[in-house]
């Protein structure tokens, strides 16, 4: 039994929905970052699955760029979370209203 592209798309859809649910319902900044990572991994699964389906390497190259983007996003996000924790002693994103314009 081979794994069809439908299985990859369903897995990707599930991961993306879990990530979207995490972003919409959580107030913790670390949970935001993990949810965004889930959504980016869902996009990577789609890119690689369709690259496999079409027989070219374009999707895999884009997946590498998405991984580099995710690493940069985590670095910047963790820096923001550290500043948030130092200033407010909490990582709840609804607390720092003084950081807004």
């Amino acid at each position: 039994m081979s794994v069809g592209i439908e299985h990859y798309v369903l897995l990707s859809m599930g991961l993306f929905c879990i990530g979207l649910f995490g972003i919409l319902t959580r107030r913790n900044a670390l949970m935001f970052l993990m949810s965004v990572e889930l959504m980016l991994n869902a996009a990577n699964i789609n890119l690689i699955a369709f690259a496999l389906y079409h027989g070219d390497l374009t999707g895999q190259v884009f997946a590498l760029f998405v991984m580099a983007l995710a690493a940069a996003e985590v670095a910047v996000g963790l820096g923001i979370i550290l500043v948030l924790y130092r200033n407010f002693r909490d990582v709840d994103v609804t607390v720092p209203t003084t950081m807004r314009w």
Side-chain angles (χ1 to χ4, degrees):
M1 177 175 164
S2 66
V3 178
I5 195 163
E6 301 88 16
H7 296 97
Y8 291 116
V9 172
L10 284 174
L11 175 67
S12 174
M13 182 181 62
L15 281 177
F16 192 85
C17 288
I18 291 170
L20 185 63
F21 179 77
I23 285 179
L24 294 176
T25 59
R26 304 290 181 193
R27 295 188 310 182
N28 189 340
L30 290 173
M31 294 301 274
F32 270 17
L33 281 178
M34 287 194 298
S35 297
V36 169
E37 288 296 320
L38 275 176
M39 293 171 74
L40 288 173
N41 284 331
N44 278 343
I45 290 172
N46 266 338
L47 287 170
I48 292 173
F50 283 109
L52 178 68
Y53 181 72
H54 290 294
D56 60 354
L57 295 175
T58 308
Q60 293 178 7
V61 171
F62 279 125
L64 285 174
F65 284 121
V66 170
M67 284 183 211
L69 175 76
E73 177 255 335
V74 165
V76 171
L78 284 177
I80 291 171
I81 289 172
L82 284 174
V83 168
L84 191 75
Y85 184 75
R86 282 184 188 166
N87 290 337
F88 299 101
R89 295 288 180 225
D90 196 11
V91 289
D92 188 4
V93 293
T94 59
V95 171
T97 56
T98 59
M99 291 180 75
R100 295 182 186 157
W101 290 88

